[in-house]
């Protein structure tokens, strides 16, 4: 699989790419030994070619990281490093391979990838043969940058085509390879994308009204924004006072619906590590199931006794862009933190759908009711 760079037609994306971007001097980069160890291990002697670099903030720590695009043989990698106490530390990498590495360009007239450089076009400082385009920008709710990439893929008998990937703190939050059977990709061999920094909106095929699709970030991964589907996005968590063993704290989680209006949305918070819970005086539509009370198990398709505490919040008439707070009191009994397995359910006609689900790329865990859920640790 190879990352592909976004459409050169998008002026906005080009601006996003240029703002705050610069090619680092060699003295400002980690040594080749540090990069080689981070990419392939301590004893590696693989040749390494640096294609470009960028100083940028990639996590909650305000100090800057270095993002490096490198090439070795038939592989290209994007990797991140931070200088701590005077020493460079490897943070994360994403590596892609192309069967026949070499310069390619997209020819709009034939809707195909052609070998060689496009006439009259110079290669950008953060552009490779496989990783064709890189954009860095903030996702909603974040104060740091994520990495958007267009990656070139060579897969017989399809041949060359490009898809987008998005990485947040080194973890994949959008996998364009899941769209490789999309009818417009089959026709055009390229998934063009656009990220609107102001609206925090990610769209594929942005200029095609028949296939344009918006994706929204829910705090864990990008979700296709489709009609009649809510996308609750976790925007903030507060704990007051801070957790202390045996003492009670008030926890408030705020969600914003970045999807569409739904008449009823259910938020389920399961607590696999236990603890003591009670209602908050500001709770609305919240029900707490204590250990032993009956809850529905989707695998067994029947009611079973709850093995761990469970909180379910029901939000009625939730419109796009509106926030909803879930609050409760919690007493930690073993750790000064709270682990939550979080999921969303909503009904469409007679069917019930959940987020996350089997198509999710973010790591999930199965809650006590048998549903895939997002793990969240509140400290």
């Amino acid at each position: 699989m190879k990352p592909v760079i976004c459409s050169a037609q998008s002026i906005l994306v080009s601006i996003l790419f240029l703002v705050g971007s610069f090619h680092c001097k060699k003295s400002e980069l980690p040594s080749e030994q540090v990069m080689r160890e981070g990419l392939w291990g301590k004893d590696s002697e693989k040749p390494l070619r640096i294609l470009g670099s960028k100083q940028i903030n990639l996590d909650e720590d305000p100090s800057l990281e270095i993002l490096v695009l490198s090439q070795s043989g038939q592989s290209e990698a994007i990797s991140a490093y931070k200088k701590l106490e005077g020493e460079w530390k490897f943070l994360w990498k994403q590596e892609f391979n192309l069967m026949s590495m070499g310069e390619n360009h997209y020819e709009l007239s034939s809707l195909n990838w052609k070998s060689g450089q496009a006439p009259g076009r110079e290669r950008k400082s953060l552009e490779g043969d496989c990783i064709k385009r890189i954009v860095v920008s903030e996702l909603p709710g974040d104060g740091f940058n994520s990495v958007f990439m267009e990656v070139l893929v060579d897969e017989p008998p399809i041949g060359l085509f490009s898809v987008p990937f998005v990485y947040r703190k080194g973890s994949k939050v959008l996998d364009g390879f899941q769209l490789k059977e999309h009818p417009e990709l089959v026709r055009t061999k390229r998934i063009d994308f656009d990220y609107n920094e102001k609206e925090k909106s990610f769209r594929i095929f942005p200029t095609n009204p028949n296939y344009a699709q918006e994706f929204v970030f829910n705090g864990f991964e990008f979700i296709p924004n489709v009609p009649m589907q809510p996308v609750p996005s976790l925007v903030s968590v507060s704990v007051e006072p801070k957790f202390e063993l045996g003492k009670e704290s008030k926890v408030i989680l705020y969600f914003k619906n970045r999807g569409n209006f739904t008449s009823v949305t259910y938020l389920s918070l399961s607590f696999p590590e236990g603890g003591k819970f009670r209602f908050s005086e500001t709770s609305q539509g919240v029900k707490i199931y204590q250990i032993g009370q009956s809850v529905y198990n989707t695998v067994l398709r029947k009611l079973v006794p709850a093995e761990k505490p469970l909180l379910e919040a029901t939000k009625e008439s939730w419109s796009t862009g509106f926030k909803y707070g879930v609050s409760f009191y919690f007493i930690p009994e073993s750790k000064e933190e709270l682990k939550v397995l979080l999921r969303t359910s909503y009904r469409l006609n007679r069917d019930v759908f959940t987020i996350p689900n089997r198509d999710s790329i973010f790591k999930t865990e199965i809650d006590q009711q048998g549903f895939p859920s997002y793990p969240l640790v509140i400290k």
Side-chain angles (χ1 to χ4, degrees):
M1 250 190 276
K2 290 68 185 174
V4 179
I5 295 195
C6 309
S7 156
Q9 302 168 345
S10 172
I11 297 175
L12 174 60
V13 169
S14 298
I15 293 173
L16 291 177
F17 177 81
L18 292 172
V19 172
S21 168
F22 60 88
H23 187 75
C24 300
K25 298 177 183 178
K26 193 168 183 179
S27 60
E28 297 170 333
L29 292 174
S31 67
E32 287 195 9
Q33 180 181 354
V34 170
M35 288 189 275
R36 195 176 285 111
E37 288 183 8
L39 289 168
W40 308 299
K42 189 172 183 179
D43 299 324
S44 175
E45 296 182 358
K46 292 176 67 173
L48 179 68
R49 179 185 172 207
I50 306 301
L51 302 181
S53 58
K54 184 183 186 75
Q55 190 175 37
I56 197 77
N57 184 222
L58 295 171
D59 56 29
E60 292 89 346
D61 187 335
S63 59
L64 300 180
E65 289 76 34
I66 295 291
L67 192 66
V68 178
L69 175 62
S70 61
Q71 189 178 86
S72 179
Q74 293 180 308
S75 72
E76 281 182 357
I78 194 81
S79 52
Y81 308 83
K82 183 192 288 282
K83 184 170 277 190
L84 299 172
E85 297 179 354
E87 299 290 334
W88 284 105
K89 178 184 177 183
F90 167 77
L91 299 178
W92 54 265
K93 69 171 183 177
Q94 297 298 335
E95 191 171 8
F96 301 87
N97 297 285
L98 201 58
M99 289 189 292
S100 181
M101 191 73 80
E103 191 158 25
N104 295 276
H105 69 278
Y106 188 71
E107 189 177 81
L108 189 60
S109 60
S110 64
L111 300 180
N112 224 326
W113 289 91
K114 301 291 184 179
S115 60
Q117 183 174 306
R121 180 185 180 277
E122 294 185 3
R123 176 176 285 197
K124 293 184 172 65
S125 61
L126 272 179
E127 178 181 344
D129 297 331
C130 175
I131 301 177
K132 302 299 293 180
R133 176 186 172 205
I134 296 176
V135 175
V136 290
S137 192
E138 293 181 5
L139 293 177
D142 287 344
F144 54 88
N145 291 281
S146 292
V147 182
F148 300 72
M149 298 188 290
E150 186 182 356
V151 178
L152 197 58
V153 182
D154 191 356
E155 185 175 283
I158 305 175
L160 287 173
F161 61 96
S162 77
V163 291
F165 289 82
V166 182
Y167 292 91
R168 178 180 182 266
K169 297 192 293 186
S171 296
K172 184 164 53 180
V173 296
L174 184 140
D175 184 354
F177 200 65
Q178 291 181 324
L179 301 167
K180 71 174 185 176
E181 296 181 1
H182 192 289
E184 184 65 356
L185 174 61
V186 172
R187 185 180 79 89
T188 63
K189 298 294 190 295
R190 182 186 192 192
I191 294 185
D192 187 15
F193 75 83
D194 185 11
Y195 185 70
N196 187 312
E197 185 182 39
K198 181 179 179 180
E199 301 296 331
K200 302 289 192 290
S201 173
F202 181 92
R203 296 178 69 85
I204 61 172
F205 305 116
T207 61
N208 187 329
N210 295 319
Y211 291 104
Q213 173 68 62
E214 182 183 34
F215 289 74
V216 291
F217 184 64
N218 71 348
F220 300 93
E221 62 182 332
F222 275 97
I223 304 293
N225 193 13
V226 298
M228 302 179 70
Q229 172 189 264
V231 183
S233 176
L234 182 64
V235 293
S236 68
V237 178
S238 67
V239 177
E240 184 65 36
K242 68 179 183 179
F243 289 141
E244 190 174 344
L245 291 179
K247 295 187 177 181
E248 188 174 73
S249 297
K250 185 176 183 179
V251 181
I252 305 177
L253 294 86
Y254 275 103
F255 299 87
K256 182 178 182 179
N257 183 12
R258 300 193 189 277
N260 289 285
F261 171 84
T262 47
S263 55
V264 182
T265 305
Y266 304 97
L267 296 173
S268 175
L269 289 73
S270 185
F271 307 101
E273 296 177 351
K276 292 183 179 180
F277 298 83
R278 71 178 179 90
F279 289 108
S280 162
E281 66 280 356
T282 57
S283 296
Q284 295 182 0
V286 172
K287 183 175 182 179
I288 294 178
Y289 296 84
Q290 303 292 354
I291 295 173
Q293 290 185 277
S294 294
V295 297
Y296 181 76
N297 185 288
T298 188
V299 177
L300 301 176
R301 296 186 178 182
K302 65 178 184 180
L303 294 173
V304 298
E307 296 179 354
K308 299 294 181 180
L310 169 70
L311 182 152
E312 286 193 343
T314 302
K315 172 59 177 170
E316 297 184 354
S317 301
W318 200 356
S319 298
T320 302
F322 282 79
K323 292 183 180 180
Y324 171 59
V326 176
S327 62
F328 56 90
Y329 288 99
F330 169 65
I331 300 177
E333 296 181 325
S334 59
K335 300 178 181 178
E336 293 180 340
E337 63 183 31
L338 172 62
K339 182 176 182 179
V340 181
L341 296 182
L342 173 66
R343 64 177 167 84
T344 300
S345 302
Y346 65 98
R347 188 178 294 276
L348 184 58
N349 299 322
R350 295 184 177 182
D351 297 319
V352 175
F353 296 89
T354 63
I355 301 174
N357 51 48
R358 64 181 182 179
D359 295 322
S360 295
I361 61 169
F362 193 88
K363 180 181 178 181
T364 61
E365 296 183 22
I366 303 299
D367 66 15
Q368 64 179 321
Q369 294 178 272
F371 292 96
S373 305
Y374 295 123
L376 172 68
V377 177
I378 304 171
K379 296 184 178 181

